[in-house]
Amino acid sequence: MSSLIELVKSAKADGNPGAMDTAYPYAVYLGLQGSLLDDQLVYSLPFDNKIVGNPLLPAIHGGVVGAFLESVALMTLMWELDVVQLPKTIDITFDYLRSAGPKTTWAKAILTKRGRRVANVRVEAWQDDPQKPVAAAHGNFLTG
Amino acid sequence: MSNFEGADFFAIATRFVEAIPHVSELGIGVVSAAPGSAVIKLPYQNKLIGNPDTGVLHGGVITTLIDTVCGFAAFSDVGDGLPLATLDLRIDYLKPATPGIDLLAEGHTYKKTKSIMFVRATAYHDDPNDPIANCVCAFMRGTKGVQFVGSVRKKDAES
């Protein structure tokens, strides 16, 4: 079994999604942190000057917001499904709804359909108010 | 008429990527640039790995590279120096990136309207006909922000 899947299994056995924060180097680079809120996995992306895309607004780079949404989709898939390897993104579409300002961003994912081989996931990211998302994504992931 | 008439697009693209803190932090550089298109390069870095078992880069890094090249393609095609914002962006992942190798992205506009720029892009290692990812996206023109002024024109760059 891969080291990544071993880490995920042990995080799930302990009911501690925070143990998956170090699942891969890019999640550590962004400083992603997962926690459970009423059984729903919620992730935070801390603000840092290194993720700024527009220094004049200022706003977080759209690529980082997209990377955050995709990461949350992947982490949620591994948390909710018994996968034997890291799910592969087949395709993903990002909608940029508002500019993401210099503060913590939050996101959660919902599995809209879990098929035998493919799962469809929706993700939303927000800053101050979950009712005012800054970005959303939906994608298909190969899970089997 | 474009504000960039007779401009040195490689210099404009270089200033464009250097002005974006995250892009500059990742060491993304310009390979080539023209009105409405560009090729940029991301050096392979361990901190950007998405699969620790294989060393393959995280898909999100490809999103950043592609969003950046599409943004420049739209910006350089519009030519008015006004800011743009990504409306939406779809990426198809065609095959995994090879660990240890630099990643290139080519982006070009294919339709310009009064409000929207439509852009296509691919990410690849050395053969654009063997892409790792394919992307289509739309940008909103004339959004909030500051107008890009002082474009690097050929005569300015040479003097």
Side-chain angles (χ1 to χ4, degrees), chain A residues 2-65:
Chain A
S2 80
S3 59
L4 172 67
I5 296 301
E6 273 177 41
L7 183 94
V8 171
K9 284 207 170 198
S10 114
K12 285 160 80 165
D14 297 342
N16 174 26
M20 302 199 304
D21 293 350
T22 55
Y24 46 81
Y26 188 61
V28 176
Y29 170 71
L30 292 182
L32 306 188
Q33 288 191 325
S35 56
L36 283 173
L37 202 70
D38 298 330
D39 283 339
Q40 168 71 50
L41 196 52
V42 177
Y43 271 88
S44 64
L45 166 71
F47 177 75
D48 190 292
N49 285 326
K50 74 180 179 190
I51 62 169
V52 168
N54 184 330
L56 300 168
L57 287 176
I60 300 171
H61 196 283
V64 174
V65 174

Side-chain angles (χ1 to χ4, degrees), chain A residues 89-103:
Chain A
T89 313
I90 302 165
D91 55 56
I92 186 159
T93 305
F94 305 101
D95 289 319
Y96 294 97
L97 308 169
R98 293 174 175 85
S99 87
K103 53 181 90 165

